[in-house]
Amino acid sequence: MRSYPFKDIESRWRFYWDEIGLFKARFDGFRQKFYCLDMFPYPSGELHAGHGRNYILGDTLARMKIIQGLDVLRPMGWDAFGLPAENAAIERGIHPVEWTRSNIAQMKHEFEQWGTGFDWEREVSTCDPDYYRWTQWLFLELHKAGLAYRGEAAVNWCPKCGTVLANEQVIGGACERCETVVSQKKLAQWFFRITDYAQELLDGLDELTDWPEKVKVMQRNWIGRSEGVDIDFPLEAGGKLSCFTTRQDTIYGATYMVLAPEHPLLDEIMQSGASRELEEFVERERKQSLARRWEPAQEKVGVFTGRNAINPMTRALIPVWVANYVLFEYGTGAVMAVPAHDQRDFEFATKYSLDIKEVIVPGGKQPGEALSQAYEDEGVLVDSGPFSNLFSQEAREKIASHMEEEGTGKRALRYKLRDWLVSRQRYWGTPIPIVYCQTCSAVPVPEAELPVVLPEDVAFDPTGKSPLLDRKDFLGATCPRCGGKGRRETDTLDTFVDSSWYYLRYPTPRDKKRPFDRELVNRWLPVDLYIGGVEHAILHLMYSRFITKALRDMGHLDFSEPFGRLFAQGMICMDGVKMSKSKGNVVSNEYLVERYGADTARLYTLFIGPPERDAEWTEKGVEGAHRFLGRIWNQVTEFCARSDAAAPAPAAAESVRASDQVALRRKVHQTIRKVTDDLQSFHHNTAVSALMELSNEIRSYTRGLGRSATDPVLKEAVVKFVQLLSPMAPHIAEELWRRLGGKESVFREPWPTCEEEALKEDSYLLVIQIDGKLRGKITVPESTPEAELVALAKAEGNVASHLEGKTVSDTVLVPRKLLNFVTR
Ligand code: ANZ
Ligand code: ZN
């Protein structure tokens, strides 16, 4: 395989860039700023070719911006708290701090190997007390503003280990450690009131024009705004049952009702004597772990409660059931079931032989034979009393108004978004700065006493119980309000809290007095480009947007959205499976750098496919990229060698040369435009192809004419080529740049600009005849294909009017001169 001495050059140039501070943000206020942020990684210690994509894409664009003279801020840090570190501690006896630190060192080394340039002086780590004291500050600010509160919530509980489990620690309904069946337990927990911002979080999406549509759709669905009606169904035995529906147009088809297992009406029913079957069902469902309830493909099961309700429109008596497919957390925790028009209800009704009544039909149809599935679309109402024959949409309005007049229902607006549960019953996280006191209850720790430091010398219980519970010195605290004896909060914050504000810290990462500098942050944000995986499309981005808006309302910031442009890259796969350590299909960085060099890994990663799509990694592809760089190396070094020889240009080729030169210049400037646009718009793969094309043209130009290096057109082509290559394959480009005579770094040279003049093509005058008579003339570019010439000629004003009403039977083209239309 064609190769080149990458080992000699790569580390040398990396060292040099470091030395000249190429990636240091200047903060001089003179230049246009460019804040380029990669989602900071969790320090799992695992970085492979798949992860590389994220950082290499960003690095390429950031390098172009540096060359273009912008003040580029490109920091890196670590989302360092979390469960895996704690598990490593429990399983392998390594302290989370050690585990985290050694992983960070390893990953930093790999970042360096890729040649991805970060401003390392701004590095932050969320597990560092200098960082988390400000995460605690954020908690206190939210608390002050009434946006942090304590409430009850169900958690997954392992009765054997005596610990709370995260959803990912529950495997098939059992504890991942001891395999005991997990149950639900209510605990007092901390929440952030993100639901106060539901509408703003929704509206804000419309302004984020540089976000991928699919991410915005995911956010919209997560917020889940629904307009509908809360309808009261009278109960036969007295009282009423309220349910939320978005399809009040189907109410005449409501043939039964369903309660969530947690619904309070069930407590009442069970107190006054219920069937064994009902009691067992409710008890079992209520205990079932949260993790299982949220699994989507569950078999729908339920039990009749023994009670009936009255459909307020038809006055029919309908049975009330309890079932596992209704969630207590949404709406009123009860639904009116319309099996003919809701698939879940349809399946349930079929299984338990409940009535199915069709009340909506597609326009023009009449209800025919029995349905084989629910008809969920809108349509025309039938069998619906005075509302029959209306279309769904109009019927919904009329029925809602009717119910409001009668007092049987009320229009309601609901969101699926829940408040953000931020307490974790775990050790390795930011301690929540709260002290509990007998007299004053939950008291915030005063800001001056921050940070509440997480004790590091602790022993880990194999059951996963938080070691903080055994630390008397940590637990014991004086109440900040009354000075009495208190107990410190042992819950820590969800790691999403740590990552919800880190982008504000980078401008002033070492500030001991404030979490961020308001003025600088207002200048540097929103982030100009945020790059990360689509797996963060919902939670991390939603939480960060919420925190930004909350901080703005508390008077700390002047902007509303943290990330102006978002790019979500596709995954790197091998044999169709996502590259990951657990799948055992990773390509290590060490291997790539050792065997092919960083530039090859980078170029291949950029070329592998459209960045937003998943791509299949192949060794063949890596080799291809390496061969390409090898060819470039030879091409440019040979050019340099001949330039020393300074052979005179062969005079014989002079005439050909002129048009050849024009063509090569055109290609060079077309490539400048294409690469510039493609890198800016994240089409890195086509930017690489454009360079490949240019390299081919340079070669045939050189070969065909045996030209000397003194040819200024060839020289321009080679020089610009190296410059355009530099953001993508920086090491080889820097080396070749020096060999071409560059005195300073190629990254300190202005970015090539496209000369419009060079793009212009030669053109000629085409004469147009109809049946041999001159009817018009047009000027067309050299390369216009025949079909296009015919179309252009027909469209010419005079020609068009003479052709009217005639049929062209033949066209005769005399190339570069004349086009004749023959008519019948
Ligand atoms: C009757 C009906 C008829 C419904 C029909 C749908 C179709 P979105 O749009 O997602 O807000 N629902 C309400 N509360 C629920 C709960 N706690 N658990 C499970 N399902 C619940 O959905 C609103 C619809 O979801 C409501 O409209 C209700 O079913 C159901 F042909 O009511 B519908
Ligand atoms: Zn107190």
Side-chain angles (χ1 to χ4, degrees):
M1 194 187 352
R2 210 190 293 253
S3 193
Y4 68 99
F6 59 87
K7 279 197 185 145
D8 301 340
I9 58 178
E10 291 193 343
S11 51
R12 182 155 49 85
W13 288 121
R14 279 205 290 274
F15 183 76
Y16 173 77
W17 295 326
D18 238 22
E19 220 175 44
I20 63 169
L22 187 60
F23 304 106
K24 257 192 211 138
R26 307 189 189 202
F27 278 69
D28 55 16
F30 299 135
R31 297 155 209 264
Q32 192 189 331
K33 61 100 182 175
F34 186 72
Y35 190 171
C36 178
L37 187 65
D38 300 89
M39 288 182 186
F40 65 168
Y42 177 74
S44 60
E46 184 199 358
L47 265 190
H48 51 64
H51 297 113
R53 197 179 203 186
N54 197 342
Y55 308 103
I56 291 165
L57 288 167
D59 188 64
T60 300
L61 184 60
R63 282 179 187 260
M64 181 171 88
K65 298 285 175 186
I66 290 174
I67 302 173
Q68 289 174 333
L70 277 73
D71 193 1
V72 173
L73 170 59
R74 187 150 189 265
M76 182 43 72
W78 312 98
D79 191 11
F81 275 135
L83 205 52
E86 202 164 334
N87 284 342
I90 295 163
E91 283 153 24
R92 282 174 272 155
I94 314 167
H95 194 281
V97 175
E98 259 171 66
W99 187 83
T100 307
R101 272 195 205 126
S102 79
N103 285 347
I104 287 176
Q106 170 63 21
M107 288 169 76
K108 218 168 150 172
H109 171 67
E110 307 213 9
F111 278 133
E112 276 159 10
Q113 283 194 322
W114 278 319
T116 44
F118 295 108
D119 188 346
W120 284 110
E121 282 170 23
R122 297 177 185 279
E123 179 178 1
V124 301
S125 180
T126 57
C127 67
D128 184 342
D130 283 341
Y131 181 90
Y132 69 65
R133 84 172 270 178
W134 301 114
T135 307
Q136 292 172 339
W137 169 88
L138 176 66
F139 178 92
L140 295 179
E141 286 293 298
L142 291 166
H143 190 260
K144 237 190 280 172
L147 290 170
Y149 68 93
R150 231 156 94 84
E152 279 226 319
V155 293
N156 301 308
W157 178 255
C158 173
K160 183 145 174 248
C161 295
T163 56
V164 174
L165 302 176
N167 281 349
E168 58 270 27
Q169 294 175 298
V170 182
I171 311 291
C175 171
E176 78 172 350
R177 257 185 220 112
C178 70
E179 289 171 19
T180 307
V181 175
V182 169
S183 58
Q184 271 188 57
K185 188 175 167 174
K186 291 250 165 127
L187 281 184
Q189 313 252 332
W190 288 98
F191 290 87
F192 288 168
R193 224 180 277 285
I194 189 172
T195 52
D196 275 13
Y197 287 82
Q199 191 59 46
E200 208 202 319
L201 286 166
L202 191 62
D203 294 340
L205 292 171
D206 296 335
E207 269 127 65
L208 296 173
T209 50
D210 285 334
W211 277 39
E213 197 50 42
K214 74 171 173 199
V215 172
K216 291 199 274 185
V217 168
M218 284 158 90
Q219 295 234 331
R220 281 193 194 104
N221 290 342
W222 189 256
I223 296 168
R225 179 188 153 113
S226 291
E227 283 170 34
V229 184
D230 281 343
I231 306 176
D232 287 334
F233 280 67
L235 291 166
E236 187 191 21
K240 55 198 177 185
L241 181 58
S242 170
C243 72
F244 173 66
T245 180
T246 49
R247 293 297 304 273
Q248 60 274 19
D249 53 319
T250 66
I251 185 158
Y252 284 81
T255 54
Y256 66 100
M257 300 192 75
V258 193
L259 304 174
E262 294 83 358
H263 199 286
L265 179 60
L266 289 167
D267 298 313
E268 204 184 299
I269 294 174
M270 290 191 298
Q271 264 161 29
S272 54
S275 70
R276 269 269 303 281
E277 199 194 356
L278 179 69
E279 285 199 353
E280 278 172 11
F281 179 83
V282 171
E283 201 173 316
R284 192 178 69 235
E285 288 296 326
R286 284 187 178 179
K287 256 208 275 183
Q288 208 190 41
S289 76
L290 283 175
R292 261 194 58 205
R293 284 293 302 279
W294 287 103
E295 277 167 27
Q298 269 205 96
E299 159 97 13
K300 294 174 197 62
V301 285
V303 177
F304 176 50
T305 62
R307 300 293 171 99
N308 292 304
I310 297 158
N311 182 321
M313 303 302 271
T314 64
R315 310 306 300 172
L317 216 54
I318 58 175
V320 178
W321 284 61
V322 52
N324 63 347
Y325 72 98
V326 172
L327 302 172
F328 184 58
E329 294 79 12
Y330 187 59
T332 62
V335 304
M336 68 175 206
V338 184
H341 304 294
D342 181 306
Q343 188 59 25
R344 294 166 302 179
D345 297 342
F346 183 85
E347 286 163 20
F348 192 81
T350 308
K351 180 169 175 180
Y352 294 105
S353 307
L354 294 159
D355 287 348
I356 300 177
K357 183 186 168 200
E358 223 179 322
V359 292
I360 307 276
V361 292
K365 292 227 179 80
Q366 281 305 308
E369 60 236 56
L371 292 167
S372 59
Q373 60 177 41
Y375 174 73
E376 294 192 324
D377 281 351
E378 305 199 320
V380 177
L381 274 67
V382 293
D383 258 334
S384 297
F387 304 100
S388 295
N389 299 321
L390 292 177
F391 192 72
S392 289
Q393 207 178 337
E394 194 184 353
R396 275 204 294 277
E397 283 308 313
K398 295 221 156 116
I399 292 174
S401 301
H402 171 84
M403 288 180 164
E404 288 190 330
E405 278 158 31
E406 303 273 300
T408 52
K410 243 186 120 190
R411 282 186 170 85
L413 176 60
R414 300 205 183 258
Y415 299 90
K416 294 232 164 57
L417 186 70
R418 305 285 89 183
D419 274 342
W420 176 10
L421 198 171
V422 295
S423 342
R424 294 290 178 276
Q425 292 71 44
R426 308 245 56 106
Y427 162 74
W428 190 235
T430 300
I432 296 177
I434 288 284
V435 170
Y436 296 100
C437 161
Q438 291 264 314
T439 30
C440 319
S441 76
V443 184
V445 173
E447 205 189 308
E449 285 173 29
L450 298 184
V452 175
V453 177
L454 189 68
E456 291 197 357
D457 56 329
V458 290
F460 289 89
D461 187 322
T463 64
K465 223 163 64 193
S466 170
L468 294 180
L469 295 166
D470 301 327
R471 283 286 299 245
K472 297 241 161 48
D473 54 336
F474 178 80
L475 285 176
T478 34
C479 168
R481 197 162 292 156
C482 71
K485 236 169 94 184
R487 183 184 64 81
R488 207 174 276 291
E489 172 66 274
T490 50
D491 283 2
T492 53
L493 287 170
D494 178 9
T495 55
F496 278 118
V497 180
D498 305 329
S499 59
S500 69
W501 72 278
Y502 77 110
Y503 45 89
L504 301 172
R505 185 68 177 162
Y506 285 130
T508 54
R510 308 284 165 258
D511 195 331
K512 297 242 178 231
K513 302 214 169 66
R514 290 161 304 182
F516 50 83
D517 180 303
R518 181 178 175 155
E519 204 185 304
L520 277 184
V521 155
N522 283 336
R523 179 139 65 77
W524 277 90
L525 278 98
V527 168
D528 296 278
L529 175 64
Y530 196 31
I531 309 175
V534 79
E535 67 273 19
H536 294 299
I538 300 178
L539 296 182
H540 165 61
L541 292 172
M542 189 79 77
Y543 294 150
S544 302
R545 296 180 62 220
F546 158 59
I547 291 298
T548 298
K549 290 171 198 299
L551 286 170
R552 175 205 61 198
D553 290 346
M554 295 184 284
H556 297 301
L557 302 174
D558 296 344
F559 52 93
S560 303
E561 290 286 345
F563 313 122
R565 179 178 175 201
L566 176 73
F567 183 81
Q569 89 276 9
M571 292 182 306
I572 297 285
C573 305
M574 259 194 15
D575 308 317
V577 189
K578 178 186 174 175
M579 194 182 276
S580 86
K581 203 159 154 188
S582 61
K583 301 267 159 48
N585 63 349
V586 301
V587 176
S588 90
N589 227 358
E590 213 75 50
Y591 163 76
L592 287 172
V593 171
E594 191 51 33
R595 177 154 180 172
Y596 301 100
D599 282 334
T600 295
R602 292 173 62 111
L603 198 76
Y604 178 54
T605 302
L606 297 174
F607 186 57
I608 196 166
E612 70 283 3
R613 288 218 221 119
D614 291 356
E616 177 73 21
W617 183 277
T618 65
E619 187 85 17
K620 259 212 165 88
V622 183
E623 283 169 7
H626 192 65
R627 265 197 309 273
F628 174 65
L629 289 177
R631 268 204 305 272
I632 300 299
W633 176 267
N634 291 342
Q635 216 172 358
V636 180
T637 49
E638 275 162 26
F639 171 85
C640 294
R642 264 187 303 161
S643 123
D644 290 338
E654 238 14 80
S655 63
V656 193
R657 175 182 177 170
S659 78
D660 248 26
Q661 282 183 321
V662 170
L664 182 60
R665 286 208 84 219
R666 188 181 308 135
K667 188 72 190 176
V668 169
H669 287 270
Q670 278 169 349
T671 311
I672 293 174
R673 164 167 299 170
K674 179 146 182 66
V675 169
T676 312
D677 291 351
D678 281 357
L679 293 189
Q680 173 66 35
S681 59
F682 266 72
H683 296 113
H684 296 69
N685 57 320
T686 52
V688 178
S689 341
L691 282 181
M692 290 176 171
E693 276 180 36
L694 178 57
S695 147
N696 285 341
E697 296 238 343
I698 294 176
R699 191 168 15 193
S700 43
Y701 180 90
T702 319
R703 212 187 266 148
L705 296 161
R707 233 170 257 301
S708 91
T710 51
D711 177 351
V713 173
L714 181 58
K715 172 125 195 181
E716 182 196 21
V718 173
V719 166
K720 302 289 183 209
F721 179 90
V722 168
Q723 287 185 284
L724 294 177
L725 179 69
S726 68
M728 305 181 225
H731 312 85
I732 187 173
E734 183 80 284
E735 176 70 24
L736 292 175
W737 175 254
R738 301 306 176 111
R739 293 189 178 212
L740 284 166
K743 293 272 172 299
E744 261 213 88
S745 169
V746 65
F747 299 100
R748 289 276 156 86
E749 203 64 27
W751 184 247
T753 48
C754 165
E755 289 168 23
E756 293 295 327
E757 204 48 41
L759 294 181
K760 281 211 187 114
E761 280 194 58
D762 283 349
S763 47
Y764 60 91
L765 195 70
L766 183 73
V767 172
I768 309 161
Q769 296 181 337
I770 299 176
D771 297 322
K773 287 200 192 77
L774 173 70
R775 294 298 182 205
K777 289 174 189 172
I778 53 174
T779 307
V780 290
E782 290 282 0
S783 61
T784 317
E786 181 165 347
E788 205 174 306
L789 286 180
V790 172
L792 287 169
K794 278 186 179 163
E796 199 274 341
N798 192 42
V799 176
S801 61
H802 275 91
L803 280 178
E804 230 176 75
K806 296 192 177 146
T807 315
V808 175
S809 60
D810 201 5
T811 55
V812 183
L813 177 70
V814 183
R816 303 174 51 94
K817 291 209 169 71
L818 180 145
L819 183 68
N820 184 28
F821 290 111
V822 182
T823 68
R824 269 185 294 138

